[in-house]
Amino acid sequence: MQEKVDVILKEVEEAKANTQEELEQFRLKFISKKSVVGDLFAELKNVPNDQKKAFGMKVNEVKQAAQAKFKALIDNLETSIQGGASDHEDLTLPSAGHTLGSMHPLNYIRSQIIEIFERIGFNVADGPEIEDDFHNFTALNFPENHPAREMQDTFFIEKNPDILLRTHTSNVQVRLMQKQKPPIRSIMPGRVYRNEAISARAHCVFHQVEGLYIDKNVSFVDLKQTLYHFAKEMFGKDTKVRFRPSYFPFTEPSAEIDISCQICKGDGCQLCKYTGWVEIAGSGMVDPNVLANCGIDNEEYTGFAFGMGIERISQLKFRVNDLRLYTENDVRFLKQFSTLH
Ligand code: PHE
């Protein structure tokens, strides 16, 4: 009988549990009601009276050893699940190493745009993304029933038609002109919102950089030279630029700016719809009404403004054909930009 107890004690001491299942087997064999330890207690009644005390003590010792061992096995298993060293791990192996994150292509393009304009004297201004109707539309000369004010384009906050998510960064133009006396020479990068269905070509959240230059005697020539400079710095010296007449409520005259297609170099391809040109920005001379709305003397000062989509510039630069890739954070996409800094 004594021998049997010793065998069980030895088994308890030598037990190992590397998996949850082995742990459970240990519990069934040594801890549960129907365990071998339980059987030993049941045998107590068959032991002669004079040996009962010694036997009982021995069985208790086994029971305590089994419980202590069980606790140790649980602790051990937990640390090995959490990545601690187990008997199977080779601690001399080199570590797996950390994978480094990298710059998001939109951040990269934004900082490139900022750098290009900072070098020619523009500073960076910022403004709110939650805006009122005045700064997003009214001050910018949007007629009362302009389609851009309608529900399908603008996200309104809590059904209050006066508070909205800005639909362009032009609101910062207005805020700057209201608080700063010319000369003003700023660019305004930021996030903008439009109520559009998400697809390869459109998104409800995207990024723009707006530019504003107001001083005495600013003319269309300044606008053209500034954007020629930008296009060549961003896309290379051989890039051709053209200005196409257009319309914006807040600029007069207005022009859209195209550059020669980066893929076919002007020969015609799918990206440029076989025209050889792709649009990169809207621009124009700030409408005198807008200057007046913002408290600037439109007899003394003139100015130009332009606005471009950061996604668009990035798409042309990196040949990204689906806008959704910028927000999905698929590492297979992001990894392709790991050399940017
Ligand atoms: N705000 C215009 C847009 O979002 C872009 C623009 C800015 C055009 C400044 C002209 C001048 O489409």
Side-chain angles (χ1 to χ4, degrees), residues 249-269:
F250 36 93
T251 47
E252 181 59 35
S254 306
E256 252 149 355
I257 299 151
D258 297 342
I259 58 165
S260 47
C261 181
Q262 297 298 295
I263 292 183
C264 64
K265 302 287 169 212
D267 295 341
C269 69

Side-chain angles (χ1 to χ4, degrees), residues 167-168 170 173 194 208 210 248 250-251 282-284 305-307:
T167 58
H168 50 186
S170 307
Q173 262 194 55
R194 289 190 198 173
Q208 287 188 333
E210 181 108 357
F248 298 102
F250 36 93
T251 47
S283 70
F306 59 84

Side-chain angles (χ1 to χ4, degrees), residues 63-129:
K63 184 183 168 187
Q64 275 158 18
Q67 278 168 350
K69 181 74 182 194
F70 187 55
K71 206 173 161 296
L73 289 178
I74 292 174
D75 288 348
N76 199 17
L77 193 61
E78 272 172 6
T79 31
S80 75
I81 286 170
Q82 287 160 9
S86 83
D87 290 354
H88 305 296
E89 274 176 59
D90 180 353
L91 295 177
T92 62
L93 282 175
S95 75
H98 297 291
T99 28
L100 278 181
S102 58
M103 208 164 184
H104 192 278
L106 292 181
N107 268 342
Y108 175 76
I109 292 294
R110 185 188 54 186
S111 49
Q112 291 272 300
I113 297 173
I114 292 174
E115 259 181 46
I116 293 171
F117 283 106
E118 272 182 347
R119 282 202 295 267
I120 54 170
F122 283 76
N123 60 15
V124 178
D126 201 5
E129 291 177 21

Side-chain angles (χ1 to χ4, degrees), residues 195-209:
N195 195 353
E196 304 226 26
I198 296 171
S199 71
R201 306 176 131 261
H203 209 291
C204 56
V205 187
F206 56 101
H207 301 79
Q208 287 188 333
V209 177

